[in-house]
Coordinates of all heavy atoms in Angstrom, one line a residue:
M1 N 59.7 -28.4 86.8 CA 58.8 -29.6 86.8 C 57.5 -29.3 87.4 O 56.5 -30.0 87.1 CB 59.5 -30.8 87.5 CG 60.7 -31.4 86.9 SD 60.5 -31.8 85.1 CE 59.9 -33.4 85.2
R2 N 57.4 -28.3 88.3 CA 56.2 -27.9 88.9 C 55.2 -27.5 87.9 O 54.0 -27.7 88.0 CB 56.4 -26.8 89.9 CG 55.2 -26.4 90.6 CD 55.5 -25.4 91.7 NE 55.9 -26.2 92.9 CZ 56.2 -25.6 94.1 NH1 56.2 -24.3 94.2 NH2 56.5 -26.4 95.1
L3 N 55.6 -26.8 86.8 CA 54.7 -26.4 85.8 C 54.0 -27.6 85.1 O 52.9 -27.5 84.6 CB 55.5 -25.6 84.7 CG 55.6 -24.1 85.1 CD1 56.5 -23.4 84.0 CD2 54.3 -23.4 85.1
K4 N 54.7 -28.7 85.0 CA 54.2 -29.9 84.4 C 53.0 -30.4 85.1 O 52.0 -30.8 84.5 CB 55.2 -31.0 84.3 CG 56.2 -30.9 83.2 CD 55.5 -31.3 81.9 CE 56.5 -31.3 80.8 NZ 55.8 -31.4 79.5
V5 N 53.0 -30.2 86.4 CA 51.9 -30.7 87.3 C 50.7 -29.8 87.0 O 49.5 -30.2 87.0 CB 52.3 -30.7 88.8 CG1 51.1 -31.0 89.6 CG2 53.4 -31.7 89.0
F6 N 50.9 -28.5 86.8 CA 49.8 -27.5 86.7 C 49.3 -27.4 85.2 O 48.4 -26.6 84.9 CB 50.3 -26.1 87.2 CG 50.4 -26.1 88.7 CD1 51.6 -25.9 89.3 CD2 49.2 -26.3 89.5 CE1 51.7 -25.8 90.7 CE2 49.3 -26.2 90.8 CZ 50.6 -26.0 91.4
E7 N 49.9 -28.2 84.3 CA 49.5 -28.1 82.9 C 48.0 -28.3 82.7 O 47.4 -27.5 81.9 CB 50.3 -29.1 82.0 CG 51.6 -28.5 81.6 CD 52.4 -29.4 80.7 OE1 52.0 -30.6 80.5 OE2 53.4 -29.0 80.2
P8 N 47.3 -29.3 83.3 CA 45.9 -29.5 83.1 C 45.1 -28.2 83.5 O 44.2 -27.8 82.9 CB 45.5 -30.7 84.0 CG 46.8 -31.4 84.2 CD 47.9 -30.4 84.1
V9 N 45.6 -27.6 84.6 CA 44.9 -26.4 85.1 C 45.1 -25.2 84.1 O 44.1 -24.5 83.8 CB 45.4 -25.9 86.5 CG1 44.7 -24.7 87.0 CG2 45.3 -27.1 87.5
L10 N 46.3 -25.1 83.6 CA 46.6 -24.0 82.6 C 45.9 -24.2 81.3 O 45.5 -23.2 80.7 CB 48.1 -23.9 82.4 CG 48.9 -23.6 83.7 CD1 50.4 -23.7 83.4 CD2 48.6 -22.2 84.2
V11 N 45.8 -25.4 80.9 CA 45.1 -25.7 79.6 C 43.6 -25.4 79.6 O 43.1 -24.8 78.7 CB 45.3 -27.2 79.1 CG1 44.5 -27.6 78.0 CG2 46.8 -27.4 78.8
V12 N 43.0 -25.9 80.7 CA 41.5 -25.7 80.8 C 41.1 -24.4 81.3 O 40.1 -23.8 80.9 CB 41.0 -26.8 81.7 CG1 39.5 -26.6 82.0 CG2 41.2 -28.2 81.1
G13 N 41.9 -23.8 82.2 CA 41.5 -22.5 82.9 C 41.0 -22.8 84.3 O 40.5 -23.8 84.6
Q14 N 41.3 -21.8 85.2 CA 41.0 -22.0 86.6 C 39.5 -22.0 86.9 O 39.1 -22.4 88.0 CB 41.7 -20.9 87.4 CG 43.2 -21.1 87.4 CD 43.8 -20.5 88.6 OE1 43.2 -19.7 89.3 NE2 45.1 -20.8 88.9
D15 N 38.7 -21.5 86.0 CA 37.2 -21.5 86.3 C 36.6 -22.9 86.4 O 35.7 -23.1 87.1 CB 36.5 -20.7 85.2 CG 36.7 -21.3 83.8 OD1 37.9 -21.6 83.5 OD2 35.7 -21.3 83.0
K16 N 37.2 -23.8 85.7 CA 36.7 -25.2 85.8 C 37.2 -25.9 87.2 O 36.6 -26.9 87.6 CB 37.3 -26.1 84.7 CG 37.0 -25.5 83.3 CD 35.6 -25.9 82.9 CE 35.4 -25.5 81.4 NZ 34.1 -25.7 80.9
F17 N 38.2 -25.3 87.8 CA 38.7 -25.9 89.1 C 38.2 -25.2 90.3 O 38.6 -25.5 91.4 CB 40.2 -25.8 89.1 CG 40.9 -26.7 88.2 CD1 41.1 -26.4 86.8 CD2 41.3 -28.0 88.6 CE1 41.8 -27.3 86.0 CE2 41.9 -28.9 87.8 CZ 42.2 -28.6 86.5
S18 N 37.3 -24.2 90.1 CA 36.9 -23.4 91.2 C 36.2 -24.2 92.4 O 36.4 -23.9 93.5 CB 35.9 -22.3 90.7 OG 34.8 -22.8 90.1
N19 N 35.4 -25.2 92.0 CA 34.7 -26.0 93.1 C 35.3 -27.4 93.3 O 34.6 -28.2 93.8 CB 33.2 -26.1 92.7 CG 33.0 -26.7 91.4 OD1 33.9 -26.8 90.6 ND2 31.8 -27.1 91.1
L20 N 36.5 -27.6 92.9 CA 37.2 -28.9 93.0 C 38.3 -28.8 94.1 O 39.0 -27.8 94.2 CB 37.8 -29.3 91.7 CG 36.8 -29.6 90.6 CD1 37.6 -30.0 89.3 CD2 35.8 -30.7 91.0
D21 N 38.4 -29.9 94.8 CA 39.5 -30.1 95.7 C 40.3 -31.4 95.3 O 39.7 -32.4 95.3 CB 39.0 -30.2 97.2 CG 40.1 -30.3 98.2 OD1 41.2 -29.8 97.9 OD2 39.9 -31.0 99.2
I22 N 41.5 -31.3 95.0 CA 42.3 -32.4 94.4 C 43.4 -32.8 95.4 O 44.2 -32.0 95.8 CB 42.9 -32.0 93.1 CG1 41.7 -31.7 92.1 CG2 43.7 -33.2 92.5 CD1 42.2 -31.2 90.8
R23 N 43.4 -34.1 95.7 CA 44.5 -34.7 96.4 C 45.1 -35.9 95.7 O 44.3 -36.7 95.3 CB 44.1 -35.1 97.8 CG 43.7 -34.0 98.7 CD 43.3 -34.5 100.0 NE 42.6 -33.4 100.8 CZ 42.0 -33.6 101.9 NH1 41.9 -34.8 102.5 NH2 41.4 -32.6 102.5
V24 N 46.4 -35.9 95.5 CA 47.0 -37.0 94.7 C 48.1 -37.7 95.6 O 48.9 -37.0 96.1 CB 47.6 -36.5 93.4 CG1 48.1 -37.7 92.6 CG2 46.5 -35.8 92.6
R25 N 48.1 -39.0 95.6 CA 49.2 -39.7 96.3 C 49.8 -40.7 95.3 O 49.1 -41.4 94.6 CB 48.6 -40.6 97.4 CG 49.7 -41.3 98.2 CD 49.1 -42.1 99.4 NE 48.4 -41.1 100.3 CZ 47.5 -41.6 101.2 NH1 47.2 -42.8 101.3 NH2 47.0 -40.7 102.1
V26 N 51.1 -40.6 95.2 CA 51.9 -41.4 94.2 C 52.9 -42.3 94.9 O 53.5 -41.9 95.9 CB 52.6 -40.6 93.2 CG1 52.2 -40.9 91.8 CG2 52.5 -39.1 93.4
K27 N 53.1 -43.5 94.3 CA 54.1 -44.4 94.9 C 54.9 -45.0 93.7 O 54.4 -45.2 92.6 CB 53.5 -45.6 95.6 CG 53.1 -45.3 97.0 CD 52.6 -46.6 97.6 CE 52.3 -46.5 99.1 NZ 51.8 -47.7 99.6
G28 N 56.2 -45.3 93.9 CA 57.0 -46.0 92.9 C 57.5 -45.1 91.8 O 57.1 -43.9 91.7
G29 N 58.4 -45.6 91.0 CA 59.0 -44.9 89.9 C 59.9 -43.8 90.4 O 60.1 -43.6 91.6
G30 N 60.4 -43.0 89.4 CA 61.2 -41.8 89.7 C 60.4 -40.6 89.9 O 59.2 -40.6 89.7
V31 N 61.1 -39.5 90.1 CA 60.5 -38.2 90.3 C 59.7 -37.8 89.1 O 58.5 -37.3 89.1 CB 61.5 -37.1 90.7 CG1 60.9 -35.8 90.8 CG2 62.2 -37.5 92.0
T32 N 60.4 -37.9 87.9 CA 59.7 -37.4 86.7 C 58.5 -38.3 86.3 O 57.5 -37.8 85.9 CB 60.8 -37.5 85.5 OG1 61.9 -36.8 85.9 CG2 60.2 -37.0 84.2
A33 N 58.6 -39.6 86.5 CA 57.5 -40.5 86.2 C 56.3 -40.2 87.1 O 55.1 -40.2 86.7 CB 57.9 -41.9 86.4
Q34 N 56.6 -39.8 88.4 CA 55.5 -39.5 89.3 C 54.8 -38.2 88.9 O 53.6 -38.0 89.0 CB 56.1 -39.3 90.7 CG 56.4 -40.7 91.4 CD 56.9 -40.5 92.8 OE1 57.2 -39.4 93.3 NE2 57.0 -41.6 93.5
I35 N 55.6 -37.2 88.4 CA 55.0 -35.9 88.0 C 54.1 -36.2 86.8 O 53.0 -35.6 86.7 CB 56.2 -34.9 87.7 CG1 56.8 -34.5 89.0 CG2 55.6 -33.8 86.8 CD1 58.0 -33.6 88.8
Y36 N 54.6 -37.0 85.8 CA 53.7 -37.3 84.7 C 52.5 -38.1 85.1 O 51.4 -37.9 84.5 CB 54.5 -38.0 83.6 CG 55.3 -37.1 82.8 CD1 56.7 -36.8 83.0 CD2 54.7 -36.4 81.7 CE1 57.4 -36.0 82.3 CE2 55.5 -35.6 80.9 CZ 56.8 -35.3 81.2 OH 57.5 -34.5 80.4
A37 N 52.6 -38.9 86.1 CA 51.4 -39.7 86.6 C 50.4 -38.7 87.3 O 49.2 -38.9 87.1 CB 51.9 -40.7 87.6
I38 N 50.9 -37.7 88.0 CA 50.1 -36.8 88.7 C 49.3 -36.0 87.7 O 48.1 -35.8 87.8 CB 50.9 -35.9 89.6 CG1 51.4 -36.6 90.8 CG2 50.0 -34.7 90.1 CD1 52.4 -35.9 91.7
R39 N 50.0 -35.5 86.6 CA 49.3 -34.6 85.7 C 48.3 -35.4 84.9 O 47.2 -34.9 84.6 CB 50.3 -33.9 84.8 CG 50.9 -34.8 83.7 CD 52.1 -34.1 83.1 NE 51.8 -33.2 82.0 CZ 51.9 -33.6 80.7 NH1 52.2 -34.9 80.4 NH2 51.6 -32.8 79.7
A40 N 48.6 -36.7 84.6 CA 47.6 -37.5 83.9 C 46.4 -37.8 84.8 O 45.2 -37.8 84.3 CB 48.2 -38.8 83.5
A41 N 46.6 -38.0 86.1 CA 45.5 -38.3 87.0 C 44.6 -37.1 87.2 O 43.4 -37.2 87.2 CB 46.1 -38.7 88.4
I42 N 45.2 -35.9 87.2 CA 44.4 -34.7 87.3 C 43.5 -34.5 86.1 O 42.3 -34.2 86.2 CB 45.3 -33.4 87.6 CG1 45.9 -33.5 89.0 CG2 44.5 -32.2 87.4 CD1 47.0 -32.5 89.3
A43 N 44.1 -34.6 84.9 CA 43.4 -34.4 83.7 C 42.3 -35.5 83.5 O 41.1 -35.1 83.2 CB 44.3 -34.5 82.5
K44 N 42.5 -36.7 83.8 CA 41.5 -37.8 83.7 C 40.4 -37.5 84.7 O 39.2 -37.7 84.4 CB 42.1 -39.1 84.0 CG 42.9 -39.6 82.8 CD 43.5 -41.0 83.1 CE 44.4 -41.5 82.0 NZ 45.0 -42.8 82.3
S45 N 40.8 -37.1 85.9 CA 39.7 -36.9 87.0 C 38.8 -35.7 86.6 O 37.6 -35.7 86.9 CB 40.4 -36.7 88.3 OG 41.1 -35.5 88.3
I46 N 39.4 -34.7 86.0 CA 38.5 -33.5 85.6 C 37.5 -33.9 84.5 O 36.4 -33.6 84.6 CB 39.4 -32.4 85.0 CG1 40.2 -31.8 86.2 CG2 38.6 -31.3 84.4 CD1 41.4 -30.9 85.7
V47 N 38.0 -34.7 83.5 CA 37.1 -35.2 82.5 C 36.0 -36.1 83.1 O 34.9 -36.0 82.8 CB 37.9 -36.0 81.4 CG1 37.0 -36.7 80.4 CG2 38.8 -35.0 80.7
A48 N 36.4 -37.0 84.0 CA 35.4 -37.9 84.7 C 34.4 -37.1 85.5 O 33.2 -37.4 85.5 CB 36.2 -38.9 85.5
Y49 N 34.9 -36.1 86.2 CA 34.0 -35.2 87.0 C 32.9 -34.5 86.1 O 31.8 -34.5 86.4 CB 34.8 -34.2 87.8 CG 34.0 -33.2 88.5 CD1 33.4 -33.5 89.8 CD2 33.7 -31.9 88.0 CE1 32.6 -32.6 90.5 CE2 32.9 -31.0 88.7 CZ 32.4 -31.4 89.9 OH 31.6 -30.5 90.6
H50 N 33.4 -34.0 85.0 CA 32.5 -33.3 84.1 C 31.5 -34.3 83.4 O 30.4 -33.9 83.1 CB 33.2 -32.5 83.0 CG 33.6 -31.1 83.6 ND1 32.9 -30.0 83.4 CD2 34.7 -30.7 84.3 CE1 33.5 -29.0 83.9 NE2 34.6 -29.4 84.5
A51 N 32.0 -35.5 83.2 CA 31.1 -36.5 82.6 C 30.0 -36.9 83.6 O 28.8 -37.1 83.2 CB 31.9 -37.8 82.2
K52 N 30.3 -37.0 84.9 CA 29.4 -37.5 85.9 C 28.5 -36.4 86.4 O 27.3 -36.6 86.6 CB 30.1 -38.1 87.0 CG 29.2 -38.9 88.0 CD 30.0 -39.7 89.0 CE 29.1 -40.5 89.9 NZ 29.8 -41.3 90.8
Y53 N 29.0 -35.2 86.7 CA 28.3 -34.2 87.5 C 27.9 -33.0 86.6 O 27.0 -32.2 87.0 CB 29.1 -33.7 88.7 CG 29.3 -34.8 89.7 CD1 30.6 -35.3 89.9 CD2 28.3 -35.3 90.4 CE1 30.8 -36.3 90.8 CE2 28.5 -36.3 91.4 CZ 29.7 -36.8 91.6 OH 30.0 -37.8 92.5
V54 N 28.5 -32.7 85.5 CA 28.1 -31.6 84.7 C 27.3 -32.1 83.5 O 26.2 -32.5 83.7 CB 29.4 -30.8 84.3 CG1 29.0 -29.5 83.6 CG2 30.3 -30.4 85.5
D55 N 27.9 -32.0 82.3 CA 27.2 -32.5 81.1 C 28.2 -33.1 80.1 O 29.4 -32.9 80.2 CB 26.3 -31.5 80.5 CG 27.0 -30.3 80.0 OD1 28.2 -30.1 80.5 OD2 26.5 -29.5 79.2
E56 N 27.6 -33.8 79.2 CA 28.5 -34.6 78.2 C 29.2 -33.6 77.2 O 30.3 -33.9 76.8 CB 27.5 -35.5 77.4 CG 28.3 -36.6 76.6 CD 28.9 -37.6 77.5 OE1 28.5 -37.9 78.6 OE2 29.9 -38.3 77.0
S57 N 28.6 -32.5 76.9 CA 29.2 -31.6 75.9 C 30.5 -31.0 76.5 O 31.5 -30.8 75.8 CB 28.2 -30.5 75.5 OG 27.8 -29.8 76.6
S58 N 30.4 -30.6 77.8 CA 31.6 -30.0 78.4 C 32.7 -31.0 78.6 O 33.9 -30.7 78.5 CB 31.2 -29.4 79.8 OG 30.9 -30.4 80.7
K59 N 32.3 -32.3 78.8 CA 33.3 -33.4 78.9 C 34.0 -33.5 77.6 O 35.2 -33.6 77.5 CB 32.6 -34.7 79.3 CG 33.6 -35.9 79.4 CD 32.9 -37.2 79.2 CE 33.3 -37.7 77.8 NZ 33.0 -39.0 77.5
N60 N 33.2 -33.6 76.5 CA 33.9 -33.7 75.2 C 34.7 -32.5 74.8 O 35.8 -32.7 74.2 CB 32.8 -33.9 74.1 CG 32.1 -35.2 74.3 OD1 32.6 -36.2 74.8 ND2 30.8 -35.3 73.8
E61 N 34.3 -31.3 75.2 CA 35.1 -30.1 75.0 C 36.5 -30.2 75.8 O 37.5 -29.9 75.2 CB 34.3 -28.9 75.5 CG 35.0 -27.6 75.3 CD 34.2 -26.4 75.9 OE1 33.0 -26.4 75.8 OE2 34.8 -25.6 76.6
L62 N 36.4 -30.6 77.0 CA 37.6 -30.7 77.8 C 38.6 -31.8 77.2 O 39.8 -31.6 77.1 CB 37.3 -31.1 79.3 CG 36.7 -30.0 80.2 CD1 36.3 -30.6 81.5 CD2 37.8 -29.0 80.4
R63 N 38.0 -32.9 76.9 CA 38.7 -34.0 76.3 C 39.5 -33.6 75.0 O 40.6 -33.9 74.8 CB 37.8 -35.2 76.0 CG 38.5 -36.5 75.8 CD 37.4 -37.6 75.7 NE 38.0 -38.8 75.2 CZ 38.7 -39.6 75.9 NH1 39.0 -39.3 77.2 NH2 39.2 -40.7 75.4
K64 N 38.7 -32.8 74.2 CA 39.3 -32.3 72.9 C 40.5 -31.4 73.2 O 41.5 -31.4 72.6 CB 38.2 -31.6 72.1 CG 38.6 -31.2 70.8 CD 37.5 -30.6 70.0 CE 37.9 -30.1 68.7 NZ 36.8 -29.4 67.9
K65 N 40.3 -30.5 74.2 CA 41.4 -29.5 74.6 C 42.6 -30.3 75.1 O 43.7 -29.9 74.7 CB 40.9 -28.6 75.7 CG 40.1 -27.4 75.2 CD 39.8 -26.5 76.4 CE 39.0 -25.3 76.0 NZ 38.7 -24.4 77.1
F66 N 42.4 -31.3 75.9 CA 43.6 -32.0 76.5 C 44.3 -32.8 75.4 O 45.5 -32.8 75.3 CB 43.1 -33.0 77.6 CG 42.8 -32.3 78.9 CD1 41.7 -32.7 79.6 CD2 43.7 -31.4 79.4 CE1 41.5 -32.1 80.9 CE2 43.5 -30.8 80.6 CZ 42.3 -31.2 81.4
I67 N 43.6 -33.4 74.5 CA 44.2 -34.2 73.4 C 44.9 -33.3 72.4 O 46.0 -33.6 71.9 CB 43.2 -35.1 72.8 CG1 42.8 -36.3 73.7 CG2 43.7 -35.7 71.4 CD1 41.8 -37.2 73.2
E68 N 44.3 -32.1 72.2 CA 44.9 -31.2 71.3 C 46.2 -30.6 71.9 O 47.2 -30.5 71.1 CB 43.9 -30.0 71.1 CG 44.3 -29.1 70.0 CD 43.3 -28.0 69.8 OE1 42.2 -28.4 69.4 OE2 43.6 -26.8 70.1
Y69 N 46.3 -30.4 73.2 CA 47.5 -29.9 73.8 C 48.5 -31.0 73.9 O 49.7 -30.8 73.5 CB 47.1 -29.3 75.2 CG 48.3 -28.8 76.0 CD1 48.9 -27.6 75.6 CD2 48.9 -29.6 77.0 CE1 50.1 -27.2 76.3 CE2 50.0 -29.1 77.7 CZ 50.6 -27.9 77.3 OH 51.7 -27.5 78.0
D70 N 48.2 -32.1 74.6 CA 49.1 -33.2 74.7 C 48.4 -34.5 75.0 O 47.6 -34.6 76.0 CB 50.1 -32.9 75.9 CG 51.2 -33.9 76.1 OD1 51.3 -34.8 75.2 OD2 51.9 -33.9 77.1
R71 N 48.5 -35.4 74.1 CA 47.7 -36.7 74.2 C 48.0 -37.5 75.4 O 47.2 -38.2 75.9 CB 48.0 -37.5 72.9 CG 47.1 -38.7 72.8 CD 47.2 -39.3 71.4 NE 46.2 -40.3 71.2 CZ 46.4 -41.6 71.4 NH1 47.6 -42.0 71.8 NH2 45.5 -42.5 71.3
T72 N 49.3 -37.4 75.9 CA 49.7 -38.2 77.1 C 48.9 -37.8 78.4 O 49.1 -38.4 79.4 CB 51.2 -38.1 77.3 OG1 51.6 -36.8 77.5 CG2 51.9 -38.7 76.2
L73 N 48.2 -36.6 78.3 CA 47.4 -36.2 79.5 C 46.3 -37.2 79.8 O 45.9 -37.5 80.9 CB 46.9 -34.8 79.3 CG 47.8 -33.7 79.6 CD1 47.2 -32.4 79.1 CD2 48.2 -33.6 81.0
L74 N 45.7 -37.8 78.7 CA 44.6 -38.7 78.8 C 44.9 -40.2 78.5 O 44.3 -41.1 79.0 CB 43.4 -38.3 78.0 CG 42.8 -36.9 78.3 CD1 41.7 -36.5 77.4 CD2 42.3 -36.9 79.8
V75 N 46.0 -40.4 77.7 CA 46.3 -41.7 77.2 C 47.7 -42.1 77.8 O 48.7 -41.4 77.4 CB 46.3 -41.8 75.7 CG1 46.6 -43.3 75.2 CG2 45.0 -41.4 75.2
S76 N 47.8 -43.1 78.6 CA 49.1 -43.5 79.1 C 50.0 -44.2 78.1 O 49.5 -44.8 77.2 CB 48.9 -44.3 80.4 OG 48.3 -45.6 80.0
D77 N 51.3 -44.3 78.4 CA 52.2 -44.9 77.5 C 52.2 -46.4 77.9 O 52.5 -46.8 79.0 CB 53.6 -44.4 77.8 CG 54.6 -44.8 76.7 OD1 54.3 -45.6 75.9 OD2 55.8 -44.4 76.8
P78 N 51.9 -47.3 77.0 CA 51.7 -48.7 77.3 C 53.1 -49.5 77.4 O 53.1 -50.7 77.8 CB 50.9 -49.3 76.1 CG 51.3 -48.4 75.0 CD 51.5 -47.0 75.6
R79 N 54.2 -48.9 77.1 CA 55.5 -49.6 77.1 C 55.9 -49.9 78.5 O 55.9 -49.1 79.4 CB 56.6 -48.7 76.5 CG 56.3 -48.5 75.0 CD 57.4 -47.6 74.4 NE 57.2 -46.3 74.9 CZ 58.0 -45.3 74.5 NH1 58.9 -45.4 73.6 NH2 57.8 -44.1 75.0
R80 N 56.3 -51.2 78.8 CA 56.7 -51.7 80.1 C 58.0 -52.4 79.9 O 58.4 -52.8 78.8 CB 55.7 -52.6 80.7 CG 54.3 -51.9 81.0 CD 54.4 -50.9 82.1 NE 53.2 -50.3 82.4 CZ 52.8 -49.1 81.9 NH1 53.6 -48.4 81.1 NH2 51.7 -48.6 82.2
C81 N 58.7 -52.7 81.0 CA 60.0 -53.4 80.9 C 59.7 -54.9 80.6 O 58.9 -55.5 81.2 CB 60.7 -53.3 82.3 SG 62.3 -54.0 82.3
E82 N 60.5 -55.4 79.7 CA 60.3 -56.8 79.2 C 61.0 -57.7 80.2 O 62.2 -57.4 80.6 CB 60.9 -56.9 77.8 CG 60.6 -58.2 77.2 CD 61.1 -58.3 75.7 OE1 61.4 -57.2 75.2 OE2 61.1 -59.4 75.2
P83 N 60.4 -58.8 80.6 CA 61.1 -59.7 81.6 C 62.3 -60.4 81.0 O 62.3 -60.7 79.8 CB 59.9 -60.6 82.0 CG 59.0 -60.6 80.9 CD 59.1 -59.2 80.3
K84 N 63.2 -60.7 81.9 CA 64.4 -61.5 81.5 C 64.0 -62.9 81.2 O 63.2 -63.5 81.9 CB 65.5 -61.4 82.6 CG 66.7 -62.2 82.3 CD 67.6 -62.4 83.5 CE 68.8 -63.2 83.2 NZ 68.6 -64.5 82.7
K85 N 64.7 -63.5 80.2 CA 64.5 -64.9 79.8 C 65.8 -65.7 80.1 O 66.9 -65.1 80.2 CB 64.1 -65.1 78.4 CG 62.7 -64.7 78.0 CD 62.6 -63.4 77.5 CE 61.2 -63.0 77.1 NZ 61.2 -61.6 76.6
Y86 N 65.6 -67.0 80.1 CA 66.8 -67.9 80.3 C 67.7 -67.9 79.0 O 67.2 -67.5 78.0 CB 66.4 -69.3 80.6 CG 65.5 -70.0 79.6 CD1 66.1 -70.6 78.5 CD2 64.2 -69.9 79.6 CE1 65.3 -71.2 77.5 CE2 63.4 -70.4 78.6 CZ 64.0 -71.1 77.6 OH 63.2 -71.7 76.6
G87 N 69.0 -68.3 79.2 CA 69.9 -68.3 78.0 C 70.5 -67.0 77.7 O 71.2 -66.9 76.7
G88 N 70.4 -66.0 78.5 CA 71.1 -64.8 78.3 C 71.1 -63.9 79.5 O 70.5 -64.3 80.6
R89 N 71.7 -62.7 79.4 CA 71.8 -61.9 80.6 C 70.7 -60.8 80.7 O 70.6 -60.2 81.6 CB 73.2 -61.2 80.6 CG 73.4 -60.4 79.3 CD 74.8 -59.7 79.3 NE 75.1 -59.1 78.1 CZ 74.5 -58.0 77.6 NH1 73.6 -57.3 78.4 NH2 74.8 -57.5 76.4
S90 N 69.9 -60.7 79.6 CA 68.8 -59.8 79.6 C 67.6 -60.3 78.8 O 67.6 -61.5 78.5 CB 69.2 -58.4 79.1 OG 69.5 -58.5 77.7
A91 N 66.6 -59.5 78.5 CA 65.4 -59.9 77.8 C 65.7 -60.4 76.4 O 65.2 -61.4 76.0 CB 64.4 -58.8 77.8
R92 N 66.6 -59.7 75.7 CA 66.8 -60.1 74.3 C 68.3 -60.6 74.1 O 68.5 -61.4 73.2 CB 66.6 -58.8 73.4 CG 65.2 -58.3 73.4 CD 64.3 -59.2 72.7 NE 62.9 -58.8 72.7 CZ 62.3 -58.1 71.8 NH1 62.9 -57.8 70.7 NH2 61.0 -57.8 71.9
A93 N 69.2 -60.1 74.8 CA 70.6 -60.6 74.6 C 70.8 -62.0 75.0 O 70.3 -62.5 76.0 CB 71.6 -59.7 75.4
R94 N 71.6 -62.8 74.2 CA 71.9 -64.2 74.5 C 73.4 -64.3 74.9 O 74.2 -63.5 74.5 CB 71.6 -65.0 73.3 CG 70.2 -65.0 72.7 CD 69.2 -65.7 73.7 NE 68.4 -64.7 74.3 CZ 67.8 -64.8 75.5 NH1 68.0 -65.9 76.2 NH2 67.1 -63.9 76.0
F95 N 73.7 -65.4 75.6 CA 75.1 -65.6 75.9 C 75.8 -66.0 74.6 O 75.2 -66.6 73.7 CB 75.3 -66.8 76.9 CG 74.7 -66.4 78.3 CD1 73.9 -67.2 78.9 CD2 75.2 -65.2 78.9 CE1 73.4 -66.9 80.2 CE2 74.7 -64.9 80.1 CZ 73.8 -65.7 80.8
Q96 N 77.1 -65.7 74.4 CA 77.9 -66.0 73.2 C 78.0 -67.5 73.1 O 78.2 -68.2 74.0 CB 79.2 -65.3 73.2 CG 79.2 -63.9 72.8 CD 80.6 -63.4 72.6 OE1 81.6 -63.8 73.2 NE2 80.7 -62.4 71.7
K97 N 78.0 -67.9 71.8 CA 78.1 -69.4 71.5 C 79.6 -69.7 71.2 O 80.2 -69.0 70.4 CB 77.2 -69.7 70.3 CG 77.0 -71.2 70.1 CD 76.0 -71.3 69.0 CE 75.9 -72.8 68.6 NZ 75.0 -73.0 67.5
S98 N 80.1 -70.7 71.8 CA 81.5 -71.1 71.6 C 81.6 -72.4 70.9 O 80.9 -73.4 71.3 CB 82.2 -71.2 73.0 OG 83.5 -71.7 72.8
Y99 N 82.4 -72.5 69.8 CA 82.5 -73.8 69.1 C 83.6 -74.6 69.5 O 83.8 -75.8 69.1 CB 82.6 -73.5 67.6 CG 81.3 -72.9 67.0 CD1 81.1 -71.6 66.8 CD2 80.2 -73.8 66.7 CE1 79.9 -71.1 66.2 CE2 79.1 -73.4 66.2 CZ 78.9 -72.0 66.0 OH 77.7 -71.5 65.4
R100 N 84.6 -74.1 70.3 CA 85.7 -74.9 70.7 C 86.0 -74.7 72.2 O 85.7 -73.8 72.8 CB 87.0 -74.4 70.0 CG 86.9 -74.8 68.5 CD 88.1 -74.4 67.8 NE 87.7 -74.5 66.4 CZ 88.5 -74.5 65.4 NH1 89.8 -74.4 65.6 NH2 88.1 -74.6 64.2

C-alpha cells in the first residue's frame, strides 16, 4: 500500500518534487480509503502548485500524465452512502407486506 502513496511521485518523476515539502493529515474512513485520499491530495496539490507558481503548460502536462496513468488521482469518486428511509430496514429494502 505504501507504493500507492508514492504513485504521483513515480508518475511525474522526482525532479518535480525537488523543491516541495508535503505534509498530509487524514481523518475518518478506513486505511485503504485514507491511502487513496493521500495520493489524490498529493497529485492535486502538485498540479495546483505548478498552476500558481510555475506555468500553465507544465500544469497541463502534469494533468495529462496523471489522467493518462489513473483518472482517480485527480477526480474523486462521487458515490456516497445512501441514507436510510422509513418503511424498511435500509435505504432501498422495504419491510415485507403481510395480507393476513
